[in-house]
Amino acid sequence: MTTERNEPWREALRKSMKAKERTDIPRVKMPELAPDVRSRNFEEVNRGLTAEQALQEAKRCLDCPDAPCMAGCPVEIDIPTFIKNIERGNFPEAAKTLKATSALPAVCGRVCPQETQCESQCTYLKLKKEAVAIGYLERFAADRLADNDNHNNQSNHKNNSSDIKVAVVGSGPAGLSFAGDMAKLGYTVTVFEALHEIGGVLKYGIPEFRLPNTVVDVEIEHLQHLGVKFEKNCIIGKTLSQSDLDDMGFKGIFVASGAGLPNFMHIPGENLNGVLSSNEYLTRVNLMEARKTEADTPVWLGKRVAVIGGGNTAMDSVRVARRLGAEQAIIVYRRSEEEMPARVEEVKHAKEEGIIFLNLYNPIEYIGDEQGRVKAMVLQKMTLGEPDASGRRSPVPIEGATETIEVDEVIVSVGVSPNPLIPSAFKGLEVSRKGTIVVNQDTLQTDLQTVFAGGDIVRGGATVILAMGDGRRAAAAMHKKLAANQ
Ligand SMILES: Cc1cc2nc3c(=O)[nH]c(=O)nc-3n(C[C@H](O)[C@H](O)[C@H](O)COP(=O)(O)OP(=O)(O)OC[C@H]3O[C@@H](n4cnc5c(N)ncnc54)[C@H](O)[C@@H]3O)c2cc1C
């Protein structure tokens, strides 16, 4: 059988350029805004590859017959084919390959942790060289599609084989990915979103300097062209109940309501003014224009801002604080940099922007002034012990070693828990001790016959690409079930 991956043009390309010539090409560097410029504005930091850079980087791909990179991609993008299409200069075809399995390639090209996914499987690593920049190339091809009329032509893929209605709860990456696949299969898909913006964390969490809203909007428009309907400001479990959805004729429901409930540390002083969650801080800045002093609910523009945590959310918060004028924007993290869950690129960018890292410190108390506003924090010095359940070395307090530092704002970014509304509003759902919805691991079906679930509401806080992979798997399983019932 001739599959796309063993077509004759591939062989011709392989022969036209010897592996040695390919492996001698250095990995491309992503053009970036200079740190002193970008740390004062919200413009996108990574500027994207030029066509010349993309063509050059695409040449590095060795076109491995077993494509190990694909094993690292939860949505199974045909990576060698899209890269070869870039190498041939056929950018629309490269984008089409991406869109065949990913609803959000322009998003994933910007925020996926490729270093632990597709790029971690690249053959170059075995050669002790840098992996092919798959993420940069994905962004390049996806952005070409967005710029191109072809984008809307691609959208006319809707297969009108069925008019069965399915509902999606939540418009984050899991919900959008599910909606795209189901629309392509011909279902009538409605996405219900509690907020006034579509996109979940992509809009309310990740700031514009990493993921511009316009990029997310283009992907959403693509879904609208496929026929997906969006209902904003609609809280399932409040505005509409599960039985309302049944009465409206939805034959299947995919719950993708995410993990937007912030965790706190429950230490003295956490209720002081000026101590808030990163969830509140980022949502207000990203969705409510709170960085403007004339906004209805402006955020405090702290000068000495401490962000507690070491994940992507913490890095985003501290970099926002810097952009909003913090003279000292500080990360306080209880382990060392090696254990930080944030993407490597985010940590690098944060350092370049002058963020101060207090690693191996943990807050134990916040101290307020007479008006009840935070003015200082007491930090416990930590060391590293044995690995814990996460596989990372555990933080252990050094007895008697504390320090007090002045702060005028604290943003707590120590993880999130599942949004509790759906698990309590949908009677009969099995829910874990952590509040996640329990599903069949293969089909993502819940205990309720018509209800499937995926993304952070099932995994707890995870990643965009894992949420999207869940959306795809749930769509395939729900389709199989609905088709069997017909
Ligand atoms: C600040 C931040 C930065 C991040 N950075 C990265 C990164 O760089 N790379 C990465 O891979 N991952 C990152 N993540 C994690 C990633 O964004 C999440 O894992 C992913 O968005 C989960 O997708 P989801 O669709 O399950 O949920 P979400 O994106 O949380 O979307 C859930 C949606 O459901 C809606 N909803 C909830 N309840 C209801 C209801 N009852 N009715 C209707 N709608 C409802 C919510 O309003 C929300 O819009 C980051 C997370 C945060 C918070």
Side-chain angles (χ1 to χ4, degrees):
M1 195 178 83
T2 305
T3 66
E4 228 187 320
R5 236 170 299 125
N6 61 19
E7 272 177 344
W9 62 263
R10 286 184 166 278
E11 195 48 36
L13 256 180
R14 222 189 324 250
K15 282 185 184 149
S16 73
M17 212 178 159
K18 293 192 199 94
K20 173 82 176 73
E21 289 169 42
R22 292 181 186 277
T23 54
D24 281 348
I25 303 172
R27 178 177 157 123
V28 69
K29 299 255 178 294
M30 171 62 80
E32 294 171 354
L33 276 186
D36 58 328
V37 175
R38 71 187 194 227
S39 56
R40 292 195 297 269
N41 65 41
F42 279 73
E43 273 180 50
E44 193 174 11
V45 172
N46 286 346
R47 309 308 288 175
L49 301 183
T50 62
E52 292 70 32
Q53 288 173 315
L55 286 165
Q56 183 78 345
E57 184 64 20
K59 279 187 195 152
R60 296 183 68 227
C61 179
L62 297 172
D63 202 16
C64 311
D66 55 344
C69 49
M70 283 181 67
C73 176
V75 296
E76 298 171 345
I77 288 176
D78 187 345
I79 295 168
T81 297
F82 105 76
I83 293 183
K84 283 303 154 195
N85 280 321
I86 294 179
E87 186 175 347
R88 289 193 297 170
N90 192 345
F91 305 148
E93 201 55 31
K96 203 168 143 197
T97 309
L98 291 171
K99 273 284 177 190
T101 54
S102 170
L104 309 168
V107 170
C108 293
R110 286 169 166 84
V111 304
C112 260
Q114 288 97 7
E115 66 271 16
T116 57
Q117 300 270 338
C118 51
E119 292 181 16
S120 74
Q121 308 294 316
C122 180
T123 302
Y124 271 88
L125 299 181
K126 294 196 188 102
L127 304 172
K128 303 270 180 279
K129 293 188 179 229
E130 286 185 288
V132 173
I134 301 169
Y136 294 173
L137 292 173
E138 180 183 22
R139 170 188 166 151
F140 172 82
D143 285 357
R144 295 289 118 7
L145 183 65
D147 294 343
N148 201 307
D149 279 340
N150 198 24
H151 181 58
N152 291 341
N153 298 339
Q154 301 249 345
S155 308
N156 298 329
H157 271 323
K158 188 169 157 71
N159 168 0
N160 290 316
S161 62
S162 146
D163 279 325
I164 301 173
K165 286 167 65 173
V166 296
V168 184
V169 182
S171 67
L176 296 178
S177 169
F178 173 89
D181 276 13
M182 289 305 264
K184 282 184 199 162
L185 287 164
Y187 291 89
T188 301
V189 186
T190 307
V191 179
F192 295 96
E193 169 54 53
L195 295 174
H196 60 288
E197 284 278 355
I198 301 298
V201 170
L202 307 179
K203 278 278 182 69
Y204 78 73
I206 303 180
E208 291 255 38
F209 56 81
R210 258 196 332 125
L211 178 61
N213 285 347
T214 48
V215 171
V216 185
D217 287 337
V218 168
E219 307 274 37
I220 291 165
E221 270 170 39
H222 180 231
L223 292 171
Q224 284 170 327
H225 284 294
L226 283 171
V228 176
K229 293 179 201 148
F230 291 97
E231 294 289 341
K232 299 177 194 171
N233 300 309
C234 184
I235 307 173
I236 302 300
K238 291 269 185 220
T239 325
L240 292 174
S241 66
Q242 186 194 355
S243 59
D244 288 332
L245 294 179
D246 291 341
D247 293 346
M248 289 158 82
F250 291 104
K251 300 294 181 217
I253 302 173
F254 179 57
V255 177
S257 51
L261 192 66
N263 295 342
F264 282 94
M265 295 174 68
H266 307 292
I267 58 176
E270 227 172 11
N271 285 332
L272 286 167
N273 285 335
V275 181
L276 71 167
S277 71
S278 57
N279 196 296
E280 177 184 345
Y281 183 70
L282 291 172
T283 305
R284 282 169 65 183
V285 172
N286 292 339
L287 285 193
M288 299 161 77
E289 303 205 313
R291 61 186 195 234
K292 298 180 184 156
T293 40
E294 68 274 18
D296 287 343
T297 54
V299 283
W300 177 269
L301 302 178
K303 292 294 169 212
R304 278 185 64 94
V305 182
V307 176
I308 318 302
N312 287 322
T313 314
M315 292 309 141
D316 284 342
S317 303
V318 81
R319 294 175 69 198
V320 165
R322 182 85 174 131
R323 282 160 173 76
L324 294 185
E327 286 151 14
Q328 295 195 317
I330 309 162
I331 282 284
V332 178
Y333 181 53
R334 62 190 182 144
R335 305 184 205 234
S336 75
E337 187 175 326
E338 211 172 303
E339 289 81 29
M340 268 188 184
R343 292 183 63 207
V344 174
E345 182 181 67
E346 272 229 75
V347 176
K348 172 180 165 279
H349 282 164
K351 283 184 179 167
E352 289 167 357
E353 289 164 14
I355 304 303
I356 300 162
F357 281 74
L358 289 183
N359 293 331
L360 290 167
Y361 282 95
N362 204 26
I364 51 173
E365 184 181 355
Y366 302 114
I367 300 166
D369 61 16
E370 301 79 49
Q371 282 80 43
R373 184 164 188 96
V374 68
K375 66 168 188 183
M377 64 195 293
V378 183
L379 298 177
Q380 167 72 59
K381 183 104 184 72
M382 313 293 281
T383 185
L384 291 178
E386 293 302 310
D388 61 17
S390 73
R392 296 171 299 167
R393 292 185 65 193
S394 59
V396 181
I398 302 174
E399 220 184 306
T402 61
E403 280 175 34
T404 301
I405 65 166
E406 283 178 23
V407 285
D408 63 359
E409 189 167 31
V410 174
I411 299 162
V412 183
S413 192
V414 294
V416 282
S417 297
N419 286 330
L421 184 56
I422 298 294
S424 62
F426 280 35
K427 296 287 167 258
L429 274 186
E430 189 186 344
V431 178
S432 75
R433 217 167 34 85
K434 290 185 172 166
T436 53
I437 296 178
V438 177
V439 293
N440 174 307
Q441 289 302 312
D442 296 324
T443 61
L444 302 188
Q445 186 172 355
T446 67
D447 277 359
L448 303 176
Q449 279 301 306
T450 55
V451 181
F452 293 63
D456 280 4
I457 187 67
V458 166
R459 296 173 178 274
T463 61
V464 169
I465 196 70
L466 288 173
M468 287 177 60
D470 285 355
R472 298 211 71 207
R473 281 198 296 143
M478 191 188 284
H479 172 54
K480 196 168 166 196
K481 187 170 166 7
L482 291 173
N485 290 347
Q486 276 200 316

